[in-house]
Amino acid sequence: MNRIESAKRYTDKLYDGAASPLETTDPEFAAIKERLIYGEVYAEEKLPARLRELVILVAATTNQTFAEVKRHTAAALQSSVTPNEVKEAVYHCAPYIGLAKAEAAVEAVNEVLTAQGIQLPLVSGQTVTEESRLADGIAAQKSIFGDSIDAMRAAAPENQKNIQDYLSAYCFGDFYTRKGLNIQERELLTFAILCTQGGCKPQVKAHVGGNATVGNDKEVLLAALTVCLPYIGFPRTLNALGCINEVLPE
């Protein structure tokens, strides 16, 4: 099967044959896009379809490209991703891109869910309480990064300890502990979000190591980065690739 045939097979499956609006106004650009994404990258099939769509969804959320958020929400639902999993992936972006940007993506997702007759709000995914979120967040951090978290928190100057508490309680307590996605999936999504953002080399390296700890090996990271490539461009892709190779050399 050539890449033109492969692109048609995937777009028919994911979008019921609906054509991109660009096919009318910019057919050559549309062909380049569809053949690269669906004819080549998707055809590699190195990630399960549901995980592939979640990775692209967080990349689109990070980029604030809401047409792609909507398109890949629909593709995710066609790929056996549940509405709760879609929401959790978008929520998970908040500590990395900011709450307002995540909220804007949530609104785009809600348009798709509502159009498909899915009742909102969905079932709660929260597991922490106001009293437990800091301790539960620290426990989640340590499950990924080990006892270095204790040393990092202890070394923080007094006037910066609040930032460490926000990191533990908010990023890890409020999000990593939620139901719907497991910690291995969340850590891979974090990697994809950071690669998409760019300018985050120290954090990308840390989460390459974190992914290895929770069971996402180098091949999984390379597969996720490949899926992101059409949406983030080559500079950010190559920078992330350098981080992977530095932490997990061949």
Side-chain angles (χ1 to χ4, degrees), residues 10-125:
Y10 278 104
T11 54
D12 284 350
K13 178 181 179 181
L14 295 172
Y15 310 116
D16 295 325
S20 163
L22 287 178
E23 289 187 16
T24 300
T25 59
D26 302 87
E28 293 174 352
F29 185 82
I32 290 170
K33 178 185 177 184
E34 301 259 314
R35 291 171 191 177
L36 173 64
I37 294 174
Y38 301 102
E40 295 184 75
V41 173
Y42 272 49
E44 289 188 10
E45 294 187 327
K46 291 183 178 179
L47 286 179
R50 61 174 295 279
L51 195 53
R52 175 197 69 211
E53 292 304 325
L54 291 174
V55 166
I56 296 174
L57 185 58
V58 299
T61 296
T62 302
N63 282 335
Q64 297 285 275
T65 47
F66 299 121
E68 294 291 350
V69 170
K70 293 176 185 178
R71 186 169 175 79
H72 286 284
T73 296
L77 296 173
Q78 284 285 90
S79 302
S80 301
V81 181
T82 68
N84 289 83
E85 290 169 337
V86 168
K87 281 289 192 78
E88 289 300 327
V90 176
Y91 290 173
H92 191 79
C93 296
Y96 308 101
I97 68 173
L99 282 161
K101 289 181 178 179
E103 181 180 354
V106 168
E107 291 172 355
V109 168
N110 286 346
E111 286 185 36
V112 177
L113 298 184
T114 300
Q116 295 201 15
I118 295 167
Q119 185 68 40
L120 300 176
L122 302 176
V123 175
S124 172

Side-chain angles (χ1 to χ4, degrees), residues 16-243:
D16 295 325
S20 163
L22 287 178
E23 289 187 16
T24 300
T25 59
D26 302 87
E28 293 174 352
F29 185 82
I32 290 170
K33 178 185 177 184
E34 301 259 314
R35 291 171 191 177
L36 173 64
I37 294 174
Y38 301 102
E40 295 184 75
V41 173
Y42 272 49
E44 289 188 10
E45 294 187 327
K46 291 183 178 179
L47 286 179
R50 61 174 295 279
L51 195 53
R52 175 197 69 211
E53 292 304 325
L54 291 174
V55 166
I56 296 174
L57 185 58
V58 299
T61 296
T62 302
N63 282 335
Q64 297 285 275
T65 47
F66 299 121
E68 294 291 350
V69 170
K70 293 176 185 178
R71 186 169 175 79
H72 286 284
T73 296
L77 296 173
Q78 284 285 90
S79 302
S80 301
V81 181
T82 68
N84 289 83
E85 290 169 337
V86 168
K87 281 289 192 78
E88 289 300 327
V90 176
Y91 290 173
H92 191 79
C93 296
Y96 308 101
I97 68 173
L99 282 161
K101 289 181 178 179
E103 181 180 354
V106 168
E107 291 172 355
V109 168
N110 286 346
E111 286 185 36
V112 177
L113 298 184
T114 300
Q116 295 201 15
I118 295 167
Q119 185 68 40
L120 300 176
L122 302 176
V123 175
S124 172
Q126 184 173 316
T127 66
V128 300
T129 65
E130 283 297 298
E131 295 72 29
S132 74
R133 58 193 286 271
L134 176 58
D136 291 347
I138 292 171
Q141 279 181 289
K142 293 174 74 171
S143 73
I144 301 168
F145 301 109
D147 291 338
S148 64
I149 296 302
D150 291 333
M152 180 179 71
R153 288 177 54 81
E158 193 60 36
N159 65 350
Q160 297 170 33
K161 289 187 182 299
N162 62 326
I163 303 297
Q164 292 299 324
D165 283 349
Y166 289 141
L167 176 62
S168 297
Y170 165 55
C171 179
F172 288 90
D174 287 343
F175 290 101
Y176 267 83
T177 63
R178 290 180 61 82
K179 300 174 185 176
L181 299 173
N182 62 39
I183 200 157
Q184 188 174 18
E185 292 165 337
R186 288 186 181 277
E187 188 61 6
L188 187 64
L189 295 184
T190 298
F191 167 78
I193 294 163
L194 294 171
C195 293
T196 302
Q197 277 188 297
C200 303
K201 283 188 178 181
Q203 290 80 15
V204 172
K205 290 177 190 177
H207 284 280
V208 168
N211 270 278
T213 296
V214 300
N216 294 323
D217 64 16
K218 186 172 185 176
E219 293 307 311
V220 171
L221 295 176
L222 291 172
L225 183 59
T226 300
V227 164
C228 289
L229 185 155
Y231 303 95
I232 70 176
F234 276 101
R236 291 178 180 180
T237 299
L238 294 176
N239 288 344
L241 182 60
C243 293

